[in-house]
Amino acid sequence: MTTEPFVFSDEQHLLRETVRDACQRAWPPEAVERTANGPWATKFWTTLASELGVVGLTVPETLGGLGAGVVDLTIVAEELGRVAAAAPMLGTTLATETLARVECETAATVLEPVAGGQRLAALVVTDDAGAWTPDRPATTARSEGDGWRIDGAARGVLDGAGADDLLVLSTTDEGIALMLVDGAADGVTRRAVDTMDLTRELADVTFTDAQATLLQVGPAVVDAVRGAADVATIVLAAEQLGGCQTMLDRTVEHARTHMQFGRPIGTFQAVRHRCADMLVATEHARSAVYHAAWAADVGIDDVAVAASLAHVVASQAHTEVSGGALQLHGGIGFTWEHPTHLYLKRAWSDATLLGGRAFHRARLAPLLEPPRA
Amino acid sequence: MTDTIGTDRRTGVVVDAEELVRDHPPAETGAVAFLGAQFDRGLAWVHFPTGRGGRGLPQGRQADVDRVLRASGAPDAFLRNPIGHGMAAPTVVVHGSDRLQERLLRPLFTGEELWAQLFSEPGAGSDLAGLATRAEWDGRVWRVTGQKVWTSLAQHARWALLVARTDPDVPKHKGLTYFVVDLHHPGVDVRPLRQLTGDAEFNEVYLDDVEIDDGWRLGEVGDGWRVAMTTLMSERKALGGRSSARGDGTIGDALRLWAQRPELRTPADEQHLLDLAVRAEAQRLTGWRHGAEQGDAPMGSRGAIDKVVGAELNQAVYDFCMRVLGVEATRYTHPGPDDPHTTPPADRSLTWKFLRSRANTIEGGTSEILRNIIGERLLGLPGDVRVDKDVPWRDVPRS
């Protein structure tokens, strides 16, 4: 394993500035009413996709995308995370990355408008308890006439309620398959669930004899979903990194300016030391996220290990930093008007997504191997 | 900044390092001769000037050289002279005269002349600027009198970095001056200091009317605090950890124990070890990234992050080892203060390492001071309210 850290290019710095501008205009700090399915969120996504062209960044050029790297995608995600943007970034990443890995002409035609931001797609890969189960689909599909019919229920589908296309992992007689279902088809019921995190949309989806199109069947399907999930995991961790940075920045600003006992609270070591720990946590998240993105692009590390490490480190950092932010803001941090709650709720929700803590820790077993002498 | 992977500019030093290894095969070349050749080729510290062991390149390039040399089994200059390499050299190259650089750097790098650091005092540890050792100008030389403590390697060292008070009538940071002192000079008395591990790794150093020529001053008279900052920033970088591969360094001790002693395992310990391994990996990746992003800029305060995390992780790792080993870990033979240090620290028992790790959060800046530095310099938070700030050092209460 080579061990090269990476440095952002000038183009990547420019990408970051551009996305940051758009994010800060769309989601100013005082906007605490951020809901994933509001009109504002739709407008923001359209801006990102058609004006900035940063949705589906990693879709190969042969499929109509930009063929950019996971590092570029991570830059976008980090900026979205900074403002706690209510945007279907995770669902889209899961969908585009899966479709790009599936060998099927229909997949390519579904992919293009999703990468272009004209349509939304969601990957249905959780079970009826909301658990992450790529190798144990919660739905079954059977061949009927020219087409397929699908049954089953999945909970907690990322960006599922607003999706135009549902990519559904199903069990068939021929093995695990990826099916395409029109979100508006008969026999599909979708319910956006009320969640603690106001900024991320989750849906419970039920299929009752719904019409479906087969995209691909066989073991390669599970590999495609796993590969897509690794990229989505890195994107999720990058969003968390952005959240850490915002919470740290706001807390430091508060500690510099908020006066108690006749001096700024940042002069008290108890406050300053907690801020220092928040910086350390943020720096660790940054290192793990950038390393994972670089691993995905250049292969300097096992992507599954690097992605899970990013998930674990960023989740830990985000819960710790948003918790510290709430504490150091005092009572104001506990109010609805202050944005800290958006980040705190995201942090605890994010840590459960895409397999959650147990799944990602289990994939870190290679870290327990003793060093070679 | 551009992508540093696969660009031409790093090829030069890698090719030259490979040539160095070919011309001086480490297995057949003495360490002093090898390191001398490395210095002369400008591969000692590539960011130092030409003729001073370097070639004026960004500091990040050094890692490329070190990778080649480590793979070839070349001697490690840092381990042979940690204070010289990690603290003295960066200070001398920035603040020393041409004559001092010429005289000091090469034998420092080869390990022919070891270095120590005369900073801490019994009454001024974390409050370094409060130190009391006096240096007085008699019209011909500086005369130094005082007591220093926690001086690693002083019993073996030829040279030491010294901060002394030259003006007690101004506030504490303003009355300091920085020198290089010859430890062979009359008036220097080095006494081993036995520590809780039982051995005497550190020393007390008594300075009694020690003469120092003005040519051995670093920086201006009264500007010693600024020079000391160069040393301390470099120290934190050096203490922050130098491991490069996953599982290397302190965490490796815990991973080896876990692999070798399956009968001691519990499920809870396994989860705990995973937490430690994750922290170690995050720290390792952070050290790398800081190195890569640093480019030409000086290390600065970010070394404080690596140091505080590394020190606390060391303690957590050895706490873990002690718990896993249980009663076995309590068997320990305390060395005497005069026992020779024949076993390298890395090869000593886990119990010794546990005991030694208690110093990690004190030496080289306590974790409390480092968190202040992180808060003030990296985050821009206001500093402590300091009651001694504008008071002449002479009038500040001391214990």
Side-chain angles (χ1 to χ4, degrees):
Chain A
M1 188 198 308
T2 57
T3 49
E4 301 284 353
F6 80 98
V7 175
F8 290 115
S9 66
D10 291 339
E11 292 75 15
Q12 287 168 329
H13 285 296
L14 189 65
L15 170 67
R16 183 184 295 284
E17 291 307 314
T18 308
V19 177
R20 182 173 299 177
D21 266 9
C23 285
Q24 286 177 347
R25 265 182 283 119
W27 311 100
E30 63 278 10
V32 293
E33 296 288 350
R34 295 171 212 207
T35 50
N37 43 13
W40 196 250
T42 311
K43 183 165 171 286
F44 174 66
W45 192 247
T46 307
T47 304
L48 274 191
S50 44
E51 288 177 33
L52 304 183
V54 297
V55 172
L57 269 179
T58 50
V59 171
E61 288 173 271
T62 51
L63 295 173
L66 291 172
V70 176
V71 170
D72 303 275
L73 190 62
T74 304
I75 290 168
V76 176
E78 185 184 338
E79 295 306 318
L80 295 182
R82 279 176 90 103
V83 296
M89 182 67 173
L90 268 193
T92 299
T93 301
L94 277 172
T96 56
E97 289 289 326
T98 302
L99 289 167
R101 285 170 167 77
V102 165
E103 286 173 24
C104 163
E105 279 176 25
T106 312
T109 62
V110 178
L111 176 55
E112 196 178 337
V114 174
Q118 293 96 19
R119 287 173 74 83
L120 289 175
L123 183 69
V124 180
V125 63
T126 47
D127 69 11
D128 60 2
W132 180 253
T133 54
D135 45 4
R136 286 180 290 112
T139 67
T140 53
R142 61 198 146 74
S143 172
E144 191 182 281
D146 295 344
W148 292 74
R149 314 298 288 192
I150 193 165
D151 288 286
R155 292 169 72 95
V157 176
L158 279 161
D159 301 315
D164 304 292
D165 301 309
L166 299 173
L167 305 170
V168 189
L169 219 51
S170 286
T171 307
T172 72
D173 291 341
E174 298 161 50
I176 293 179
L178 188 68
M179 314 297 296
L180 173 66
V181 179
D182 186 332
D186 287 344
V188 178
T189 51
R190 294 186 286 171
R191 191 172 58 82
V193 284
D194 291 337
T195 49
M196 174 175 74
D197 177 4
L198 301 165
T199 63
R200 194 166 327 265
E201 190 222 86
L202 297 177
D204 292 345
V205 185
T206 308
F207 303 94
T208 312
D209 197 31
Q211 189 181 345
T213 307
L214 176 71
L215 294 179
Q216 189 174 341
V217 64
V221 166
V222 176
D223 291 344
V225 169
R226 286 209 179 102
D230 283 339
V231 175
T233 298
I234 298 167
V235 163
L236 174 65
E239 288 189 357
Q240 302 214 63
L241 166 61
C244 288
Q245 189 65 56
T246 294
M247 286 289 92
L248 176 62
D249 291 346
R250 293 193 66 115
T251 304
V252 166
E253 186 54 26
H254 181 71
R256 274 187 345 100
T257 53
H258 186 67
M259 305 289 283
Q260 298 266 281
F261 305 101
R263 47 181 166 130
I265 60 170
T267 59
F268 298 106
Q269 291 201 5
V271 171
R272 197 160 60 232
H273 288 185
R274 188 144 187 194
C275 289
D277 288 338
M278 288 164 67
L279 174 66
V280 169
T282 303
E283 283 291 287
H284 280 190
R286 186 179 306 285
S287 307
V289 167
Y290 292 176
H291 172 71
W294 193 232
D297 282 348
V298 177
I300 57 165
D301 196 359
D302 182 318
V303 179
V305 172
S308 285
L309 183 76
H311 189 286
V312 169
V313 173
S315 296
Q316 172 69 31
H318 202 190
T319 50
E320 183 182 322
V321 172
S322 56
L326 201 158
Q327 173 66 22
L328 294 180
H329 274 89
I332 184 71
F334 191 69
T335 64
W336 187 271
E337 285 73 20
H338 200 275
T340 296
H341 72 96
L342 291 172
Y343 292 85
L344 180 88
K345 292 164 181 173
R346 259 174 95 102
W348 286 90
S349 300
D350 286 352
T352 69
L353 295 179
L354 300 171
R357 188 179 136 84
F359 173 81
H360 289 287
R361 283 175 67 90
R363 294 208 305 176
L364 293 180
L367 294 191
L368 297 185
E369 287 163 15
R372 277 166 295 174
Chain B
M1 266 193 290
T2 52
D3 182 348
T4 57
I5 303 295
T7 50
D8 289 335
R9 57 186 179 155
R10 70 169 33 185
T11 329
V13 291
V14 168
V15 169
D16 291 354
E18 288 164 354
E19 193 182 277
L20 169 68
V21 171
R22 255 200 319 279
D23 293 351
H24 305 271
E28 301 152 31
T29 313
V32 169
F34 183 92
L35 294 170
Q38 184 181 347
F39 183 92
D40 295 339
R41 287 180 190 221
L43 296 173
W45 300 277
V46 296
H47 55 294
F48 280 19
T50 306
R52 303 285 183 249
R55 40 175 76 182
L57 291 174
Q59 192 168 355
R61 291 293 96 67
Q62 187 65 39
D64 304 334
V65 175
D66 292 347
R67 212 171 295 129
V68 173
L69 298 186
R70 221 171 287 147
S72 76
D76 187 330
F78 177 86
L79 292 181
R80 288 166 57 85
N81 196 3
I83 294 164
H85 193 280
M87 294 152 232
T91 310
V92 168
V93 84
V94 172
H95 299 285
S97 64
D98 278 350
R99 198 172 67 86
L100 286 191
Q101 293 184 35
E102 175 76 27
R103 168 64 188 84
L104 297 172
L105 288 174
R106 195 177 188 280
L108 181 160
F109 188 74
T110 60
E112 289 163 279
E113 291 180 347
L114 299 186
W115 283 72
Q117 181 194 24
L118 297 171
F119 276 24
S120 294
E121 298 189 1
S126 289
D127 182 15
L128 173 61
L131 58 84
T133 293
R134 291 292 308 271
E136 287 175 345
W137 179 247
D138 75 353
R140 185 181 65 86
V141 292
W142 294 95
R143 298 189 166 277
V144 182
T145 297
Q147 184 197 345
K148 297 288 181 171
V149 72
W150 311 123
T151 315
S152 315
L153 298 172
Q155 70 275 45
H156 309 297
R158 169 66 197 271
W159 303 107
L161 302 166
L162 169 74
V163 186
R165 184 160 307 282
T166 46
D167 187 352
D169 297 320
V170 294
K172 61 181 181 176
H173 290 86
K174 298 189 170 139
L176 302 172
T177 304
Y178 199 116
F179 301 94
V180 172
V181 59
D182 182 348
L183 292 175
H184 293 179
H185 201 285
V188 177
D189 181 18
V190 176
R191 301 180 200 166
L193 182 66
R194 196 177 187 200
Q195 61 217 42
L196 61 77
T197 51
D199 49 4
E201 188 188 1
F202 302 114
N203 301 272
E204 295 174 297
V205 177
Y206 292 81
L207 303 155
D208 180 17
D209 204 25
V210 176
E211 292 184 10
I212 302 180
D213 190 276
D214 193 50
W216 294 82
R217 173 165 51 78
L218 298 185
E220 299 303 313
V221 174
D223 203 24
W225 182 254
R226 199 171 62 88
V227 183
M229 283 302 105
T230 304
T231 310
L232 294 179
M233 291 301 154
S234 307
E235 174 177 32
R236 273 147 213 163
K237 171 69 178 155
L239 292 176
R242 306 190 316 128
S243 67
S244 62
R246 176 174 290 162
D248 263 6
T250 303
I251 188 69
D253 280 335
L255 298 175
R256 271 185 291 269
L257 175 67
W258 191 251
Q260 289 160 4
R261 303 293 301 274
E263 76 280 8
L264 300 175
R265 296 176 188 174
T266 70
D269 284 340
E270 178 163 3
Q271 290 306 308
H272 188 176
L273 179 59
L274 184 61
D275 286 335
L276 293 173
V278 166
R279 276 169 68 184
E281 186 64 3
Q283 188 213 6
R284 183 179 75 89
L285 295 172
T286 300
W288 257 11
R289 184 168 59 77
H290 286 174
E293 288 175 355
Q294 180 187 345
D296 293 319
M299 187 57 206
S301 312
R302 285 208 299 194
I305 293 179
D306 299 327
K307 199 277 176 179
V308 77
V309 172
E312 291 177 358
L313 183 62
N314 283 354
Q315 292 183 350
V317 164
Y318 293 120
D319 289 355
F320 172 83
C321 293
M322 293 297 282
R323 273 196 296 273
V324 169
L325 282 171
V327 67
E328 201 179 311
T330 64
R331 295 181 175 241
Y332 180 73
T333 305
H334 289 90
D338 300 324
D339 286 0
H341 294 269
T342 50
T343 312
D347 297 339
R348 294 187 203 182
S349 72
L350 289 172
T351 305
W352 184 89
K353 290 179 180 178
F354 159 77
L355 292 170
R356 179 61 182 81
S357 74
R358 301 303 100 179
N360 293 161
T361 47
I362 302 169
E363 61 194 348
T366 64
S367 295
E368 289 74 18
I369 292 288
L370 290 168
R371 284 190 166 84
N372 284 346
I373 289 172
I374 292 169
E376 291 172 32
R377 306 235 183 97
L378 293 175
L379 293 175
L381 288 168
D384 271 305
V385 175
R386 295 192 170 100
V387 295
D388 60 357
K389 192 158 173 254
D390 300 314
V391 181
W393 177 82
R394 191 187 287 289
D395 300 331
V396 174
R398 271 176 292 279
S399 52

